[in-house]
Amino acid sequence: MNLNNFIEDLASSRPTPGGGAAAAMAGAMAAALVEMVAAMPPQSAKCQVLGAKLRKRLMELADEDCRAFDAVMTAYKKKSGMREALEWAMRVPQETMRVAAQVEKVAEQMVREGNKNAVSDAKSAVYLAQAAQKSAMENVEINKQALAKLNKQV
């Protein structure tokens, strides 16, 4: 995913990428900062490897969030498969929250144990991970509401 293209797409009037993908990318940026701080003396290979793993997963979730929301839009147009699409669109940000929470824990460790000259980077990772979780929660909630409304109609 090209960052310039992602930002331009995010700024467009198209429904995807949206807040869910942005949440996942905020988490991925947090994980990248964890990797950076973990690579500095005193190095933490364990945190560096974990940061890379979490970053890659969050980038996958950004793409998956777009696919899930596109499925919701398609289901509404076809008037079928809405429940399954909404459930998928809810699972993706739930996973984003879970992974971003892991990033936050590792980032907090880097604040405590990482290179003191990079503490602002580690703290930025904490804040970005928190933002990812909060943003993803908004997507979970909106999809829960849509699912509840759909269940009332049936």
Side-chain angles (χ1 to χ4, degrees):
M1 175 182 309
N2 177 295
L3 194 55
N4 285 331
N5 291 344
F6 175 76
I7 296 296
E8 289 298 322
D9 288 347
L10 193 61
S12 77
S13 62
R14 292 185 302 275
T16 58
M25 290 303 290
M29 288 189 295
L33 286 169
V34 164
E35 287 179 81
M36 180 186 78
V37 176
M40 296 176 176
Q43 292 180 338
S44 172
K46 180 181 173 187
C47 290
Q48 196 173 359
V49 168
L50 182 56
K53 177 183 170 189
L54 297 172
R55 175 177 50 84
K56 288 174 187 167
R57 179 63 182 133
L58 285 158
M59 291 179 72
E60 291 168 356
L61 287 165
D63 288 334
E64 186 175 355
D65 187 84
C66 293
R67 290 191 304 274
F69 191 75
D70 287 343
V72 169
M73 299 299 288
T74 299
Y76 273 103
K77 286 177 188 172
K78 290 182 176 181
K79 300 204 184 306
S80 69
M82 290 181 278
R83 179 171 287 104
E84 295 81 5
L86 285 168
E87 288 171 351
W88 182 23
M90 196 165 53
R91 280 193 309 270
V92 175
Q94 286 172 331
E95 176 70 0
T96 296
M97 289 170 54
R98 187 187 70 73
V99 177
Q102 290 179 287
V103 172
E104 182 182 4
K105 286 181 186 175
V106 181
E108 288 170 343
Q109 181 180 344
M110 289 294 89
V111 169
R112 291 187 310 274
E113 300 171 11
N115 187 305
K116 295 307 170 197
N117 293 320
V119 72
S120 64
D121 298 303
K123 285 183 178 181
S124 292
V126 171
Y127 302 143
L128 284 165
Q130 291 169 346
Q133 292 170 76
K134 289 178 182 180
S135 298
M137 175 53 91
E138 292 300 324
N139 285 279
V140 170
E141 290 302 319
I142 197 78
N143 288 312
K144 268 187 190 176
Q145 291 171 17
L147 197 53
K149 185 177 177 182
L150 182 65
N151 287 335
K152 286 181 183 178
Q153 294 173 356
V154 176

